[in-house]
Amino acid sequence: PIEKGTGQIRQLGRLTMFANRESIVRKLRGAFARVASNDFNTERIDLKAGVRFVVIGSWGGGTGAGTFLDTAAIIRQTFRDEGVGRSVEGIFALPGVFKAVESAHAKMKANGYACLREVNHYRSEPFKVAWSDGAPEEKINALFDRYVLFSGTNYAGQTLARDGDCYRAIGE
């Protein structure tokens, strides 16, 4: 099992996603059921307005960079018939966030570039996937309704002191 990431190998991240797809779907359904329960339906949270799924990850390594598209596709496919409006949003840290370790990890920039190309491609083209051998190919349009990219540098040209600063910014 992969417990410490995929060593910046995006394909390994994607392969792991395919191998664990059923478990991922089960966990997503369980989380959705908890959110959709009456425990969360209060005056502050109106589930009739829809549920927002947020995919958070990094485009510098192999795990997040290799699974973000499939994660959005699984969410779209799993909840398309739930009768509840939903949005799928992405929040991603670009390789520049990790400047302190970037030189030691040669694939970071290449992974980030590949992710940018892919997300741009799937803005106008359907995402095609067959989840298992012999399964019919699925075409999923519009993987993300919106996404936010963190580069590690703000408009004033200030860079993050530590990669942990990115996590705080995402949390806010």
Side-chain angles (χ1 to χ4, degrees):
I2 296 175
E3 297 172 354
K4 294 185 179 181
T6 61
Q8 295 183 314
I9 302 169
R10 296 176 65 233
Q11 297 84 349
L12 185 55
R14 188 164 195 229
L15 181 64
T16 302
M17 177 75 125
F18 272 68
N20 293 290
R21 182 179 171 277
E22 293 305 319
S23 173
I24 293 166
V25 168
R26 248 189 333 277
K27 288 178 182 180
L28 282 169
R29 286 190 184 281
F32 179 81
R34 285 190 301 278
V35 169
S37 73
N38 286 333
D39 294 342
F40 282 94
N41 203 4
T42 67
E43 60 190 46
R44 290 187 58 200
I45 300 172
D46 181 11
L47 292 175
K48 292 177 187 135
V51 175
R52 180 176 154 211
F53 292 89
V54 182
V55 179
I56 301 173
S58 156
W59 284 358
T63 307
T67 62
F68 78 101
L69 295 171
D70 291 297
T71 301
I74 286 172
I75 292 167
R76 290 276 188 217
Q77 181 191 43
T78 302
F79 298 102
R80 70 177 159 216
D81 300 324
E82 294 293 330
V84 174
R86 78 237 169 282
S87 68
V88 180
E89 300 177 14
I91 301 175
F92 305 108
L94 296 172
V97 168
F98 307 101
K99 283 186 177 162
V101 297
E102 190 174 39
S103 62
H105 302 287
K107 295 179 186 170
M108 288 183 91
K109 288 181 182 176
N111 285 344
Y113 178 73
C115 290
L116 285 170
R117 297 247 338 178
E118 289 172 348
V119 81
N120 185 56
H121 175 77
Y122 292 118
R123 289 181 61 216
S124 60
E125 297 293 326
F127 182 78
K128 298 174 187 175
V129 65
W131 296 111
S132 61
D133 286 341
E137 182 179 80
E138 299 256 350
K139 291 183 180 179
I140 302 166
N141 293 310
L143 292 175
F144 293 97
D145 295 298
R146 179 176 85 106
Y147 51 90
V148 177
L149 305 177
F150 282 86
S151 69
T153 304
N154 67 13
Y155 286 113
Q158 299 168 319
T159 59
L160 296 174
R162 299 179 313 264
D163 56 5
D165 294 340
C166 176
Y167 309 136
R168 280 190 288 285
I170 288 171
E172 293 173 0

